[in-house]
């Protein structure tokens, strides 16, 4: 009797194990099928559908990296201004479906380029057509009406000072200003701006 009970228990355990394996196989097959369908959507340029599938899948192959890519690519195609207004991290390297890596890298570079252009456009709108003024950041001098300084003189001491100078075509000093660029009091803000031209441009 004990032997029969033991065999019955072993059979039950074996059945449960087989059921678990079968369920696991079905789940794996389902996840893989959905993952492959998402890749097909990417190949067709249907990034929203691909993202929707990848976001609902558990961690599997490159789901996380591709989900981020497809969301960003869809946003780049439909809401570019909103996308480039936020920080987009450097993409992860794919481990499995590496054929999409070049697309991911190209999108990241495009986003960075658009962000750079938007930043520079904003600076041009803020400082364009204006003379430099005390309190502005030295990095923004290039966007003013004077453009990049013709010379930069560095004076080192307890703090490092940079003197920016602009000259006329005849070699006459046109304008100058100073900024503390290193040391305890460094703030990169210009001060002491002077314009020596006959007329304000």
């Amino acid at each position: 009797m004990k032997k029969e009970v033991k065999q019955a228990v072993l059979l039950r355990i074996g059945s449960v194990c087989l059921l678990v394996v079968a369920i696991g196989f079905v789940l794996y097959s389902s996840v893989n099928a959905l993952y492959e369908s998402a890749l097909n959507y990417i190949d067709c340029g249907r990034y929203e559908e691909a993202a929707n599938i990848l976001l609902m899948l558990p961690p599997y192959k490159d789901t996380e990296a591709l989900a981020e890519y497809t969301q960003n690519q869809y946003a780049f195609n439909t809401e570019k201004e909103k996308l480039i207004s936020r920080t987009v991290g450097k993409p992860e390297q794919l481990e499995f479906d590496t054929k999409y890596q070049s697309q991911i890298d190209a999108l990241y570079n495009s986003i960075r380029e658009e962000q750079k252009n938007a930043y520079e456009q904003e600076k041009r709108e803020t400082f364009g057509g204006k003379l430099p003024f005390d309190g502005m950041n030295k990095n923004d001098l290039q966007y003013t009406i004077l453009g990049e300084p013709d010379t930069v003189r560095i004076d080192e001491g307890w703090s490092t000072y940079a003197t920016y100078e602009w000259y006329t075509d005849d070699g006459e000093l046109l304008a100058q200003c100073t900024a503390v660029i290193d040391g305890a009091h460094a703030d990169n803000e210009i001060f002491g701006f002077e314009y020596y031209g006959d007329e304000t441009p």
Side-chain angles (χ1 to χ4, degrees):
M1 184 69 178
K2 290 183 178 180
K3 185 177 180 181
E4 293 177 353
V5 171
K6 185 176 181 179
Q7 289 177 339
V9 170
L10 290 174
L11 285 172
R12 185 174 293 252
I13 292 173
S15 299
V16 171
C17 291
L18 287 174
L19 179 61
V20 170
V21 170
I23 292 173
F25 178 77
V26 171
L27 289 175
Y28 173 84
S29 299
S30 298
V31 169
N32 186 67
L34 287 170
Y35 181 79
E36 290 297 326
S37 68
L39 298 186
N40 289 332
Y41 277 130
I42 294 175
D43 292 337
C44 295
R46 298 170 63 178
Y47 301 105
E48 184 180 24
E49 291 94 330
N52 290 337
I53 293 174
L54 292 165
L55 287 169
M56 73 177 185
L57 292 179
Y60 176 74
K61 291 188 175 181
D62 293 313
T63 50
E64 293 183 10
L66 288 173
E68 182 177 5
Y69 160 62
T70 50
Q71 290 180 92
N72 288 339
Q73 184 66 71
Y74 177 71
F76 188 82
N77 294 346
T78 59
E79 299 178 308
K80 185 183 296 185
E81 290 186 3
K82 184 181 294 186
L83 176 64
I84 64 178
S85 67
R86 62 183 176 84
T87 301
V88 177
K90 190 172 184 179
E92 298 179 15
Q93 294 295 306
L94 300 180
E95 297 182 19
F96 299 93
D97 295 284
T98 55
K99 70 175 184 177
Y100 298 104
Q101 191 66 56
S102 60
Q103 295 175 226
I104 293 175
D105 293 339
L107 173 62
Y108 176 73
N109 292 333
S110 295
I111 292 173
R112 292 297 299 271
E113 186 65 25
E114 290 287 343
Q115 290 175 329
K116 178 183 176 182
N117 293 339
Y119 173 83
E120 292 185 343
Q121 179 60 31
E122 180 183 358
K123 292 295 183 179
R124 283 191 291 269
E125 291 175 357
T126 301
F127 301 107
K130 299 177 182 178
L131 285 170
F133 54 86
D134 290 355
M136 71 179 294
N137 192 290
K138 68 179 181 62
N139 296 320
D140 295 330
L141 291 172
Q142 60 183 307
Y143 302 108
T144 67
I145 196 169
L146 297 181
E148 291 275 8
D150 296 310
T151 64
V152 180
R153 291 189 291 105
I154 304 297
D155 298 306
E156 296 183 352
W158 289 105
S159 296
T160 301
Y161 291 81
T163 299
Y164 305 95
E165 298 173 331
W166 292 262
Y167 290 86
T168 66
D169 294 337
D170 297 327
E172 298 292 329
L173 182 63
L174 178 65
Q176 67 177 5
C177 61
T178 304
V180 183
I181 62 173
D182 194 20
H185 302 291
D187 58 10
N188 292 321
E189 293 183 356
I190 72 166
F191 62 90
F193 176 75
E194 295 285 350
Y195 180 75
Y196 305 110
D198 294 332
E199 296 181 2
T200 302

